[in-house]
Amino acid sequence: MSPEQLRNKFPWINVEGVALASYGMEDEGWFDAWSLFEGLRRKVQSMGVLLYQGEVTRFITSSSQMETTSGEQVVLKRIHKVHVKINKSLEYQPVECSVVINAAGAWSGKVAELAGIGKGLPGTLQGTKLPVEPRKRYVHLWHCPQGPGLETPLVADINGVYFRREGLGSNYLGGCSPTEEEEPDPTNLEVDHDFFQNKVWPHLIQRVPSFKTLKVKSAWAGYYDYNTFDQNGVVGPHPLVVNMYFATGFSGHGLQHSPGIGRAVAEMVLEGEFKTIDMSPFFFNRFYLEEKLQEYRIL
């Protein structure tokens, strides 16, 4: 859409600085993330999947040496047992396994370290870490009767600020990812309300002048499984820990991709290759080869 088309469609938008806009007419929208998660969880339980909540503390592995075509000596590992510390208990449960899928989100880097990933010499495949770490992000909910109203899509501005309508009562939800220099402390989930006042609200007013009268009702914080290498997902097997597979590092858009990623990892585990979509560009190897799949404007 041109700026003129954008202004005609959404007269509440200030189109200053906009050269072009993309508007999704179908197959777009938003969903309740927790409800989707609960729906998936209950479905797999009905199919016989057993769910246990706990913390992975150790992997029991076997190893063997091999030589690559370039003459490099590498150690291949296979995981046989996972020690899982049960919540609110000093006990752990050893779980025998043939396959481990590391879908631990913001903590998947720590889980990978427990399996010895990244423990070798720097610059080698054995010394290549899974570059996924927790990053804290804020979501804000505000009320604005003078706002855009019911005809408000999810809007992602060129400066990284996003917002959408929340329900039918003049409520809106949105936020913005901080710069690398502004990254908040991820050891807690406290909300920095000044971040909204200083970094989000001014951009909201610039794009939607009626948001000048908004009142913040609530805010919360959560974790991104942030891939520091290229902010994109890691999917598929590890080249050296041969029975660990990854489904992590999506840096804020993991739940949107989760049905497809689940299918892709299942295909790799059961068939030995991707069948539906070739996900090989998202292999772990790209960290060692320094081949980025850069993702921009993470919401």
Side-chain angles (χ1 to χ4, degrees), residues 198-254:
N198 299 327
K199 302 296 182 179
V200 181
W201 195 20
H203 291 299
L204 288 173
I205 296 172
Q206 195 278 330
R207 188 60 62 208
V208 185
S210 59
F211 276 155
K212 187 175 183 180
T213 60
L214 69 80
K215 300 293 182 183
V216 176
K217 296 179 65 177
S218 63
W220 62 91
Y223 290 115
Y224 278 5
D225 53 335
Y226 192 84
N227 178 350
T228 60
F229 181 73
D230 57 9
Q231 294 79 63
N232 233 320
V234 190
V235 183
H238 187 270
L240 299 180
V241 182
V242 294
N243 61 337
M244 175 174 279
Y245 295 79
F246 296 110
T248 186
F250 296 96
S251 306
H253 45 83

Side-chain angles (χ1 to χ4, degrees), residues 104-158:
W107 298 272
S108 55
K110 295 291 186 183
V111 172
E113 286 183 8
L114 289 174
I117 294 172
K119 296 294 187 178
L121 295 174
T124 66
L125 186 55
Q126 286 181 293
T128 301
K129 296 183 178 182
L130 176 66
V132 177
E133 62 183 41
R135 292 287 178 92
K136 184 165 72 171
R137 295 292 179 264
Y138 310 121
V139 179
H140 304 271
L141 179 70
W142 62 88
H143 183 66
C144 186
Q146 295 77 32
L150 295 180
E151 296 297 322
T152 306
L154 170 63
V155 178
D157 206 342
I158 53 179

Side-chain angles (χ1 to χ4, degrees), residues 26-283:
E26 59 184 18
D27 299 328
E28 303 284 349
W30 55 83
F31 55 87
D32 184 318
W34 185 255
S35 294
L36 174 61
F37 173 78
E38 280 293 294
L40 292 172
R41 184 180 67 84
R42 292 177 184 180
K43 178 62 177 179
V44 299
Q45 284 181 304
S46 74
M47 299 169 69
V49 173
L50 300 177
L51 300 180
Y52 292 94
Q53 188 170 358
E55 177 186 355
V56 172
T57 59
R58 186 185 178 193
F59 292 102
I60 305 300
T61 63
S62 62
S63 60
S64 59
Q65 277 200 336
M66 66 164 287
E67 187 175 299
T68 66
T69 54
S70 62
E72 180 185 357
Q73 294 287 330
V74 296
V75 176
L76 296 183
K77 288 186 176 183
R78 178 173 292 274
I79 300 169
H80 298 284
K81 289 183 180 180
V82 183
H83 287 188
V84 181
K85 182 177 178 295
I86 306 303
N87 278 8
K88 299 180 180 179
S89 172
L90 298 178
E91 299 180 355
Y92 71 87
Q93 178 68 40
V95 181
E96 294 186 358
C97 57
S98 58
V99 169
V100 173
I101 298 174
N102 187 344
W107 298 272
S108 55
K110 295 291 186 183
V111 172
E113 286 183 8
L114 289 174
I117 294 172
K119 296 294 187 178
L121 295 174
T124 66
L125 186 55
Q126 286 181 293
T128 301
K129 296 183 178 182
L130 176 66
V132 177
E133 62 183 41
R135 292 287 178 92
K136 184 165 72 171
R137 295 292 179 264
Y138 310 121
V139 179
H140 304 271
L141 179 70
W142 62 88
H143 183 66
C144 186
Q146 295 77 32
L150 295 180
E151 296 297 322
T152 306
L154 170 63
V155 178
D157 206 342
I158 53 179
N159 51 40
V161 170
Y162 72 92
F163 65 90
R164 64 167 173 83
R165 175 175 56 81
E166 173 69 355
L168 306 176
S170 299
N171 293 322
Y172 302 86
L173 179 151
C176 179
S177 292
T179 64
E180 286 289 332
E181 296 74 24
E182 297 168 339
E183 283 291 348
D185 179 8
T187 60
N188 63 71
L189 288 178
E190 296 177 1
V191 175
D192 179 4
H193 296 280
D194 289 338
F195 182 81
F196 181 85
Q197 295 290 329
N198 299 327
K199 302 296 182 179
V200 181
W201 195 20
H203 291 299
L204 288 173
I205 296 172
Q206 195 278 330
R207 188 60 62 208
V208 185
S210 59
F211 276 155
K212 187 175 183 180
T213 60
L214 69 80
K215 300 293 182 183
V216 176
K217 296 179 65 177
S218 63
W220 62 91
Y223 290 115
Y224 278 5
D225 53 335
Y226 192 84
N227 178 350
T228 60
F229 181 73
D230 57 9
Q231 294 79 63
N232 233 320
V234 190
V235 183
H238 187 270
L240 299 180
V241 182
V242 294
N243 61 337
M244 175 174 279
Y245 295 79
F246 296 110
T248 186
F250 296 96
S251 306
H253 45 83
L255 197 56
Q256 292 97 312
H257 295 319
S258 59
I261 297 303
R263 168 175 285 190
V265 174
E267 290 172 350
M268 178 60 69
V269 170
L270 298 174
E271 307 285 347
E273 61 180 339
F274 297 123
K275 295 288 188 179
T276 308
I277 300 176
D278 179 15
M279 300 292 291
S280 57
F282 297 90
F283 276 170

